[in-house]
Amino acid sequence: MLTETEQRSVKKNARRALDLLDDQVFGLGEQERQIENIVYDFLQSKDGKCCLLEGERNCGRESTVRKVMEKYKKELRVINAGFVAADPNYQQELAREEDSGYSIFLVRDADKLITPQQQKILYTMVDKATHFSWLVFFSISRHDFAQNLQKQATSRIPKVQVSFDTTHNYDEYCSAMTQFLIPKGSKCEDDKCYKKFITSLNFEKWLRPVFQTSRFVVLKQLAAQILILFGYYCEEWESSEINKMISAIVARSLPSYNEKVIILKDQTLRSQCVFLCVWKLLQNKESDGPLSVPKTSYRNVFLEFKKLVNSYYPPLNVSSDIFVFRELDHLVKMGVLKADESTNVTNTSFKKVWTQINDTVVKDTIPQLQLPSRISDFFESISK
Amino acid sequence: MPSLALGSEKTERRRSTRISRMVVPVVKRTNTRSSRSLHLKGAPQRQEVSDSSASSSSGSSDEDEYQLTKKDVQDEADDLMDYKEFSPEIDEDFSDSPPARSLRSRTNSDSSDKENGRRRTRSTKRAANETPSKILAEKLSKTSLTTPKKSSARDLRSAKTPTKQKNETPRENVQKSRGRPRKVFLESDGDDSEEEDVSNKRKNQTPRERLTMKIPKNMIKPRITPVVISKTPGGTLRTRRRMRQNSEELDDVVDPLDSNSAKTLKELASRLHLSKVPEQLPCREAEAREIEGFIREVIDRKRGESSAMYISGVPGTGKTATVRAVVNAMKKNAKCPKFVYVEVNAMIFKKTVFVEIHNGIQEEFNISKKSQTRAKISASTARQELNDIFKKEDSKRPPIVILIDELDSLCNRKQDVLYDIFEWTALPQSKVTIIGIANTLDFPERMLCQRNASRLDKRRLVFQPYRHEQIQEIVRARLQGSNLVEKKAVELVAKKIAMNTGDLRQALDFLCRSIGVAVEKKAEKLEVVHVLEAQKAVLESLKYRLVKGLRLHQLTLFRAVESLTRENEEVIFAEIYKNYCIICSEVSGIEPASDNFAYGMLLELATTSLVTLARGDHGTMNRRVKLGMTTMEAERAIKEATEKHKSIYSV
C-alpha cells in the first residue's frame, strides 16, 4: 500500500511518462540512421530519389521518418495510398503538380498501388521523383511488391531500401517496457519512489506471452494503458488490486484471449444449449469435402435440442422449432455460428450451420459455462 | 497558419499563390469581372487591361454594386482599415499616394501603363459623388494618411500576423512584385519593435482589430505546406524545361561531364543521377542519326509530309532520352527548319493526352483562334479542336512533331484515341508526325487493329538492351576523368546488369548504391568490395527477412500452413489451427493461442502476403488459405528463422 505522497508522485510521473510516450521509438536506431543519411544526402544534392521502407505493419516506419524530419525541421507530405487509390483524379493532380523547391513524401500502404490500375500513380510518383527534387518513401509490407510491378515501374524504382525487420530478445523487450514507463532523460528517472513502484510491478514475469506474439507496438499500447491507469484512474493502491487491474489490461493482448468464448458465456441458457447441440452434432461428423468443415442442418439441431431437453432439462422445452431456429439465427449474428446464407436455401429447416469456434476450445469452455449440472454433465461426458 | 519565419524566395512565391487565392471575396465586391480574372493563372497583365475597359463600359452596373446596406458600409470600412493596416505587408508607401484616391482607384492602380492614368482621374472624379461607403472609406483613408510615417510603417509590420494576410487584395500582389519604395522597406526591417507597438496600436484599432489576437512569431507552428497543385497542366518536357530554367536562375547547374566538379564520391553519385542526362548520348549515335534523319525528312519545307515512327525497346535503354537529345540539338541548330515539338507521357496523362498535346502546341504556336486559356480546355474539346485544326491546311503552321511515350497505355478496346492520333498522320495537309515509344517490339501487330497498325508500319526503330561494354562506356562518360571509381567496379556492375536486363537506370542505381556503401565505410574510392556489398544488401529477398522477423506464434502458424500446403495447394483455417495446436504443444512446447487470436495472426501474415486468403464469406473456419511463395522457399525461410529463434526464444 502506497502512502498518499507516494501515490501523488506516481500519478504525476505516470502522466509525465504518458506525455512522452508518443515520441518514443525503440530499437530502430539503425533504421533511423539510414533514413537520416538518405534525407541528408537529398537535402544536400536535391537529387530526386525514391526509397522503400520494408517491414510489417506498425513496425515504426512513419514514426522514424517523422523523427528524422523533426530533426531537420522539414515538412513531410503523407499520401495515404488507400485513399488515393479510390480517387480517380488524384493521379491527374499529381501529374500536374509542378516543382516547388523540394518535397519529401511518405506513401503509406504503398502495397495498394500494385494493382495494374494503380500503378499509374506509382509510375507518376517515381517519374516525378527522377526529374523533380522529390524524395519519396514508399512504405511496403508485401514481399511480392517488386514482382507485381510493371516493367516501366520496375526500371524506375530504385533499390534503395531500409529494412524494418528487427528481432529482439526478451530482455530487450522488457527494457523497452521500462523505457516506456520511465522515459530516459525525463524527470521520472529522478523520482526514486516512482522507479521503485514500477519495478515492483515485476512485468518480467507476465510479459513473456505478449513477447511471443507481439511487437513493440502492442507493448507501447500496454504501457499507455498502464500509465493512464496510474495517472488518472487508479484509486485502490493495494498491490493485489493493482495486479488485478493490470492483469485485466494485459489479458486482452495474451494469445489465450478469445472474444468468441466471452460472447458465448454471455448468452442465455437456451442459446448456450442450442450452441452445444450444434457442437455435439459436428463432433464426429465427416465433412462434405476436403475444403470445408463439417456442417449440420437447422432441423437436426432442433431434433437434438428436443432430445436434450426432454431427457435432461424439461423446463427448457419449446413448443415449436421456430424458437430453436431463432436462437440459431441469433448465434449466427453473434458470430459464434456460421450459417449458409446463400439465396437458394428456401426452407429454413434445411439450412446448413456450423461452428466458428474450434471444438477443442469449446470442450475447454463447457465447465466454465453456468449450465444446470445435468446438462453440464451430459456435455462433459461427451467431450471426454 | 502561414509561416512567417521563412524568408526564402520559395516561401514568398508560395505565399503569393496563397494570397491570390484568399483575396477573392474582397475583390468580388469591387469588381466581379476582375475577381474572375484572378482565377485564371494564365496572364494577369492582359486581364488587367481588359478589366479597365470593362469597368469603363459597365459603369451603371458598378453603381448597382455600391448600393450597399449599412452593415456592408461598416464592413467595407473595416476592410479598408484592415487594408490600411496591412499595406506595409506589400511595402507600399501610402504617404505618397494622392489623398483623394479611393480604395477602388488604388486597387486598380497600375503606375506603369497609360490605362492607369485614365483610371485614376476617373476615380477621382467619381469620388465627388460617391456612395456612403466610399465617403466613409475616404475619411478613414485620410485619417490614416495623416498619421506619422513611422507609425504607419510599424502598423504595416504588425500586419504580418497570419490572420491579416487574408485581407490582402490580389492587386496588392501585383504591386508587391513591382518596385518598392526603399525607405519603407528599410524601416520595416527588424522584428523587435513589433511587440512593443501592440499597446500603442490597440488605441487606434477598430473593434474587429481588437478582437484579432496577436501571436508572437515564435509561437506560430511552422505551416505545413498544402498540396499546391497548379491549375496549369504541363507535359513532362515542358515542366522539365521550366524546372531547368528555374534552377539555372538559382545556381549554376553542375555539368555532369565536367570532370573537375566531382571531388568526392558523393558528388560523383550526384553525377550519376538519372536526371542529369548529358547532351549527347554515347552508344546511341546510330539511333540518334536515324531519328534525326526521320525528323528532318518530315519537317522538310518542300518534301516533308505527315508520318509516324514507332520506337521500341526494354526500359532504360535511352529511347526517350535519345529523342529528346536529338530534338534539343535540332532546336539549337539555326539552320534547321522550325518545327513544333510536343512530348506527352501517355502513362501519366492518359485521360488528358489531347489536352496535353493541344496545350503543348499552343505554347509554341498559336493554333487555336478562341482565346481559351490552357487550363480550362476539356479533354473532349481539345480532341475535337485538334481534329478540326489538322483537317484544315494552314501554310503558316510549322510542322509538328509529337512524341508519345508509353504509347501502349493509350490502347483501349475501341482504340479510338490511337486512331484519332494516327489519323492526323494520314492527312498530308496536317504536317503532324507522331513518334510513339513503347516497350513491346510487336506492339502494333499484337495490340493494334489493322487500321492503326498500318499507320505505324512506316518506320520502326528498335533500341537493343545495352551490352556491358556500352554500359561501361556510358558510365565512363559520366565519370570522365574521375579516378575515384575503380575500373573493375564499373565493369562488375556493367556485367551484372547487362546479364540481366541491360537497363541503364538499374546500372546507375546500382552504382549509386555502391557509392553509398563506400561512403558509409569512409572509403575514398569505389572498389569491387563495395559493389559486392551493395548487391548483397538487396540479394536477400524480403520474404526471408519477413519470415525471420516473425514472432514465435506467428512462425508456428506459418509452419502449420507450410506443412499442410505441401500436398494440397489450398487448405482451410480449421485444418491449419489443428495443425498449429499440435506443433505448439509437441514441437515448440508452448501454449497454443486461441482460435480467434490465431485467425488474427493469419490475417497479419496475409498483409505481408506470406499467405494469401481466398475471398468470399464462408466463416473463419472455412477460410481458404494458400502459401504466398513456393514450398521450397517457405521451407528455406522456416529453416533460417528457426535457427534464429533458437537463440531468442530458447525453444
Side-chain angles (χ1 to χ4, degrees):
Chain A
M1 180 78 182
L2 299 178
T3 63
E4 227 164 79
T5 20
E6 283 171 337
Q7 284 175 21
R8 241 179 283 135
S9 147
V10 170
K11 264 190 185 176
K12 204 167 78 186
N13 284 305
R15 287 178 192 190
R16 253 183 219 152
L18 190 66
D19 287 341
L20 294 170
L21 191 67
D22 252 359
D23 303 326
Q24 297 217 44
V25 181
F26 192 85
L28 294 173
E30 172 57 23
Q31 282 81 355
E32 194 186 324
R33 193 189 62 80
Q34 285 178 21
I35 291 175
E36 202 178 325
N37 277 351
I38 292 167
V39 173
Y40 179 78
D41 283 349
F42 168 72
L43 293 175
Q44 290 275 306
S45 66
K46 298 269 159 72
D47 286 337
K49 206 174 197 177
C50 294
C51 175
L52 305 179
L53 307 179
E54 299 174 332
E56 273 182 276
R57 293 231 173 126
N58 295 325
C59 59
R61 287 169 290 201
E62 195 172 331
S63 312
T64 317
V65 173
R66 280 191 188 279
K67 208 174 163 187
V68 174
M69 291 296 121
E70 199 112 299
K71 204 180 263 180
Y72 285 97
K73 300 260 178 297
K74 297 290 168 214
E75 293 154 5
L76 180 70
R77 282 175 61 179
V78 179
I79 295 177
N80 211 330
F83 293 152
V84 169
D87 181 2
N89 296 323
Y90 190 79
Q91 190 266 339
Q92 290 293 311
E93 284 172 9
L94 200 67
R96 286 175 194 166
E97 193 159 329
E98 286 185 10
D99 193 14
S100 51
Y102 60 87
S103 310
I104 303 175
F105 292 82
L106 172 73
V107 185
R108 274 187 209 156
D109 293 337
D111 302 310
K112 293 203 172 121
L113 299 179
I114 52 168
T115 56
Q117 296 85 17
Q118 301 307 336
Q119 285 201 22
K120 254 195 304 175
I121 296 178
L122 198 78
Y123 180 91
T124 312
M125 287 240 58
V126 179
D127 191 71
K128 290 233 156 183
T130 317
H131 303 304
F132 289 1
S133 281
W134 280 15
L135 173 62
V136 188
F137 290 106
F138 291 102
S139 268
I140 59 160
S141 304
R142 291 175 62 126
H143 73 80
D144 52 357
F145 178 78
Q147 292 158 19
N148 286 324
L149 289 179
Q150 285 170 2
K151 262 192 280 179
Q152 302 100 324
T154 317
S155 168
R156 282 167 177 84
I157 277 202
K159 282 188 179 137
V160 182
Q161 59 194 33
V162 181
S163 184
F164 278 75
D165 40 65
T166 50
T167 41
H168 36 263
N169 55 31
Y170 189 52
D171 291 338
E172 282 168 338
Y173 203 69
C174 289
S175 65
M177 185 66 165
T178 319
Q179 199 193 309
F180 289 148
L181 297 177
I182 313 168
K184 263 186 193 161
S186 69
K187 283 182 183 170
C188 308
E189 252 191 336
D190 307 331
D191 197 317
K192 278 179 191 164
C193 168
Y194 178 68
K195 271 174 101 174
K196 197 179 152 196
F197 174 73
I198 295 294
T199 334
S200 72
L201 295 177
N202 263 336
F203 45 76
E204 288 86 355
K205 278 187 185 167
W206 43 262
L207 216 53
R208 195 171 274 278
V210 183
F211 164 68
Q212 285 172 348
T213 50
S214 320
R215 287 178 165 273
F216 285 129
V217 64
V218 175
L219 196 68
K220 206 169 179 177
Q221 287 163 357
L222 275 181
Q225 289 184 62
I226 291 171
L227 289 174
I228 290 170
L229 176 73
F230 294 143
Y232 297 94
Y233 297 107
C234 190
E235 276 160 10
E236 291 288 326
W237 294 90
E238 271 304 327
S239 58
S240 59
E241 283 297 315
I242 287 173
N243 284 342
K244 225 185 262 175
M245 284 187 280
I246 289 180
S247 58
I249 290 170
V250 178
R252 293 179 149 266
S253 317
L254 294 179
S256 53
Y257 184 72
N258 198 339
E259 282 152 347
K260 279 179 190 155
V261 170
I262 295 171
I263 291 172
L264 186 63
K265 281 181 192 166
D266 249 12
Q267 300 306 311
T268 58
L269 177 60
R270 190 156 74 188
S271 282
Q272 286 176 350
C273 288
V274 169
F275 177 82
L276 290 173
C277 287
V278 178
W279 169 75
K280 182 185 170 279
L281 283 169
L282 298 177
Q283 269 256 297
N284 297 314
K285 201 169 183 281
E286 289 273 310
S287 68
D288 306 336
L291 284 175
S292 82
V293 287
K295 293 168 188 173
T296 183
S297 64
Y298 270 39
R299 194 184 133 78
N300 287 343
V301 179
F302 168 66
L303 294 176
E304 185 64 35
F305 182 77
K306 269 288 207 192
K307 231 194 276 176
L308 174 82
V309 291
N310 283 338
S311 39
Y312 298 102
Y313 204 73
L316 218 56
N317 206 350
V318 285
S319 55
S320 158
D321 57 357
I322 192 83
F323 296 104
V324 176
F325 292 176
R326 271 187 202 157
E327 290 298 345
L328 282 168
D329 284 340
H330 170 73
L331 288 168
V332 169
K333 219 179 225 174
M334 289 285 110
V336 288
L337 289 181
K338 181 83 190 161
D340 185 7
E341 270 149 359
S342 52
T343 42
N344 54 6
V345 187
T346 43
N347 191 340
T348 320
S349 306
F350 299 114
K351 213 169 168 180
K352 297 275 187 215
V353 66
W354 62 97
T355 63
Q356 293 259 61
I357 308 177
N358 181 271
D359 57 327
T360 352
V361 178
V362 180
K363 262 182 217 168
D364 299 340
T365 318
I366 293 170
Q368 298 165 25
L369 298 174
Q370 288 173 333
L371 298 169
S373 56
R374 292 190 72 188
I375 297 180
S376 180
D377 290 347
F378 168 68
F379 282 116
E380 273 182 46
S381 66
I382 293 170
S383 66
K384 278 166 195 167
Chain B
M1 259 195 197
S3 150
L4 297 173
L6 304 166
S8 71
E9 260 187 67
K10 285 160 203 159
T11 356
E12 283 289 341
R13 210 188 312 143
R14 252 182 258 159
R15 195 201 288 158
S16 68
T17 44
R18 245 185 287 133
I19 291 165
S20 67
R21 246 188 260 150
M22 285 178 210
V23 285
V24 176
V26 181
V27 188
K28 246 184 191 167
R29 205 177 295 159
T30 54
N31 193 330
T32 42
R33 187 99 176 237
S34 69
S35 80
R36 207 179 303 135
S37 72
L38 278 159
H39 289 292
L40 310 172
K41 211 185 166 187
Q45 297 295 334
R46 223 184 303 145
Q47 289 301 333
E48 244 173 287
V49 176
S50 67
D51 169 34
S52 74
S53 62
S55 63
S56 61
S57 63
S58 60
S60 59
S61 64
D62 281 359
E63 289 298 321
D64 292 343
E65 275 182 279
Y66 280 106
Q67 286 173 1
L68 303 166
T69 59
K70 233 179 182 179
K71 191 169 170 271
D72 285 345
V73 174
Q74 183 58 44
D75 279 352
E76 189 152 340
D78 280 356
D79 275 351
L80 191 70
M81 273 305 277
D82 292 344
Y83 182 84
K84 281 275 150 215
E85 304 239 2
F86 309 139
S87 49
E89 167 83 317
I90 52 162
D91 291 333
E92 196 181 356
D93 194 350
F94 282 102
S95 57
D96 292 337
S97 57
R101 271 170 75 182
S102 67
L103 167 71
R104 187 184 171 74
S105 73
R106 220 181 310 123
T107 47
N108 284 344
S109 71
D110 187 340
S111 55
S112 63
D113 62 17
K114 279 183 193 171
E115 286 288 324
N116 274 298
R118 249 187 287 152
R119 220 183 298 151
R120 201 175 299 163
T121 47
R122 186 160 41 80
S123 57
T124 329
K125 273 181 224 158
R126 202 189 279 166
N129 51 356
E130 268 320 300
T131 52
S133 70
K134 285 269 158 175
I135 296 160
L136 186 59
E138 210 172 287
K139 274 183 193 169
L140 286 163
S141 73
K142 273 180 187 166
T143 49
S144 81
L145 285 166
T146 50
T147 49
K149 205 172 173 184
K150 200 170 181 184
S151 74
S152 82
R154 278 178 180 179
D155 287 357
L156 297 181
R157 251 172 280 138
S158 64
K160 281 189 179 177
T161 42
T163 41
K164 296 295 168 60
Q165 282 191 353
K166 285 182 186 173
N167 298 320
E168 221 177 337
T169 59
R171 198 66 62 175
E172 284 171 317
N173 254 338
V174 179
Q175 286 164 343
K176 194 176 176 182
S177 59
R178 261 172 235 143
R180 299 160 175 178
R182 269 286 156 220
K183 215 172 170 185
V184 178
F185 191 73
L186 286 171
E187 272 174 6
S188 65
D189 268 349
D191 303 317
D192 302 345
S193 54
E194 192 183 317
E195 307 234 344
E196 69 186 41
D197 280 342
V198 173
S199 58
N200 294 338
K201 246 196 87 192
R202 192 151 289 174
K203 291 169 197 166
N204 306 329
Q205 278 170 338
T206 60
R208 185 169 149 185
E209 255 286 82
R210 257 169 247 141
L211 281 171
T212 322
M213 221 166 69
K214 295 271 183 313
I215 304 162
K217 278 180 187 176
N218 54 0
M219 279 175 71
I220 302 169
K221 271 194 172 180
R223 188 180 180 280
I224 298 211
T225 327
V227 184
V228 184
I229 291 159
S230 155
K231 290 260 160 51
T232 327
T236 331
L237 183 74
R238 275 177 288 140
T239 39
R240 268 159 54 88
R241 203 185 294 150
R242 218 169 294 146
M243 189 187 74
R244 212 175 296 147
Q245 278 167 3
N246 289 344
S247 65
E248 270 164 11
E249 278 164 25
L250 292 169
D251 46 68
D252 293 338
V253 179
V254 180
D255 181 10
L257 294 179
D258 179 12
S259 57
N260 301 323
S261 62
K263 280 167 192 138
T264 59
L265 277 174
K266 267 192 186 174
E267 285 172 23
L268 215 59
S270 177
R271 271 206 239 167
L272 294 174
H273 192 264
L274 286 174
S275 63
K276 299 193 176 128
V277 187
E279 273 185 20
Q280 280 202 337
L281 298 175
C283 306
R284 288 291 178 223
E285 289 87 2
E287 286 86 352
R289 261 200 306 279
E290 189 154 335
I291 294 168
E292 192 178 343
F294 172 71
I295 297 178
R296 276 187 189 280
E297 213 172 89
V298 294
I299 61 170
D300 192 283
R301 284 196 192 96
K302 287 171 190 167
R303 285 165 295 158
E305 56 175 35
S306 309
S307 185
M309 186 185 216
Y310 176 66
I311 301 175
S312 66
V314 293
T317 45
K319 303 178 291 292
T320 317
T322 310
V323 179
R324 269 182 203 157
V326 167
V327 170
N328 280 343
M330 287 176 82
K331 288 246 168 186
K332 276 182 193 166
N333 188 352
K335 284 178 191 168
C336 184
K338 288 266 171 294
F339 66 98
V340 174
Y341 171 72
V342 185
E343 185 189 311
V344 187
N345 191 318
M347 185 92 158
I348 298 176
F349 297 102
K350 190 176 177 181
K351 282 179 192 158
T352 52
V353 66
F354 289 108
V355 178
E356 284 304 308
I357 295 173
H358 180 274
N359 292 344
I361 299 171
Q362 184 79 18
E363 228 169 59
E364 293 192 37
F365 176 77
N366 195 11
I367 41 162
S368 169
K369 268 146 202 124
K370 290 169 203 164
S371 59
Q372 218 158 8
T373 357
R374 314 176 340 101
K376 288 282 172 187
I377 197 160
S378 74
S380 54
T381 325
R383 184 176 182 171
Q384 190 65 45
E385 214 166 284
L386 284 173
N387 285 343
D388 292 346
I389 289 162
F390 294 139
K391 265 178 203 158
K392 287 173 209 149
E393 193 165 352
D394 185 354
S395 53
K396 283 177 195 165
R397 190 174 66 221
I400 298 166
V401 178
I402 304 170
L403 171 73
I404 304 177
D405 212 344
E406 315 292 357
L407 187 71
D408 44 354
S409 46
L410 286 183
C411 196
N412 53 3
R413 197 179 287 170
K414 267 163 81 187
Q415 294 191 8
D416 53 333
V417 176
L418 282 175
Y419 183 75
D420 266 17
I421 290 172
F422 288 116
E423 185 63 28
W424 303 335
T425 66
L427 304 165
Q429 70 272 23
S430 68
K431 289 195 277 180
V432 174
T433 302
I434 307 286
I435 302 177
I437 295 183
N439 295 129
T440 24
L441 185 72
D442 54 349
F443 167 71
E445 293 87 38
R446 205 155 49 90
M447 303 291 283
L448 296 185
C449 58
Q450 191 51 42
R451 58 182 189 183
N452 279 341
S454 66
R455 290 189 179 140
L456 260 185
D457 259 350
K458 294 174 192 169
R459 279 289 184 77
R460 294 279 183 98
L461 186 61
V462 181
F463 276 63
Q464 297 296 344
Y466 286 113
R467 294 190 307 277
H468 72 90
E469 308 93 11
Q470 289 176 320
I471 295 178
Q472 281 184 59
E473 197 184 327
I474 294 165
V475 172
R476 234 180 287 135
R478 285 202 177 205
L479 304 175
Q480 209 178 39
S482 171
N483 53 356
L484 297 173
V485 178
E486 225 177 54
K487 203 182 164 192
K488 280 199 172 168
V490 179
E491 198 182 326
L492 181 67
V493 171
K495 281 189 175 164
K496 277 195 184 292
I497 296 295
M499 204 169 64
N500 275 325
T501 52
D503 183 342
L504 190 70
R505 281 197 202 102
Q506 286 183 2
L508 294 177
D509 174 49
F510 193 0
L511 265 176
C512 282
R513 272 184 293 124
S514 312
I515 289 177
V517 172
V519 168
E520 206 140 284
K521 296 211 156 182
K522 291 183 180 142
E524 283 181 357
K525 268 182 107 179
L526 177 72
E527 291 163 19
V528 180
V529 201
H530 304 131
V531 176
L532 290 174
E533 198 159 316
Q535 192 196 16
K536 210 172 140 191
V538 291
L539 205 62
E540 194 183 17
S541 173
L542 179 61
K543 53 191 149 202
Y544 297 122
R545 282 182 280 141
L546 281 173
V547 175
K548 266 191 209 170
L550 289 180
R551 327 268 46 224
L552 184 60
H553 280 271
Q554 288 166 333
L555 182 70
T556 318
L557 192 73
F558 185 66
R559 276 176 79 169
V561 178
E562 187 268 331
S563 63
L564 285 171
T565 46
R566 272 182 210 166
E567 287 165 14
N568 308 315
E569 201 190 352
E570 259 184 331
V571 273
I572 51 170
F573 176 67
E575 295 293 323
I576 294 169
Y577 185 68
K578 265 185 210 164
N579 205 331
Y580 158 78
C581 288
I582 295 167
I583 300 175
C584 271
S585 49
E586 288 178 13
V587 184
S588 307
I590 45 169
E591 183 88 352
S594 70
D595 53 350
N596 211 26
F597 199 93
Y599 188 70
M601 292 196 293
L602 190 78
L603 294 179
E604 268 175 41
L605 290 181
T607 60
T608 52
S609 78
L610 289 176
V611 298
T612 40
L613 303 178
R615 288 189 185 178
D617 182 24
H618 303 287
T620 50
M621 289 295 162
N622 260 341
R623 195 80 193 254
R624 294 181 186 191
V625 183
K626 266 191 208 172
L627 203 60
M629 55 183 92
T630 61
T631 324
M632 286 243 291
E633 286 169 335
E635 266 174 42
R636 197 187 128 190
I638 288 168
K639 204 176 160 191
E640 283 175 16
T642 344
E643 285 294 313
K644 206 172 181 185
H645 276 232
K646 264 182 197 165
S647 56
I648 299 169
Y649 298 100
S650 54
V651 174

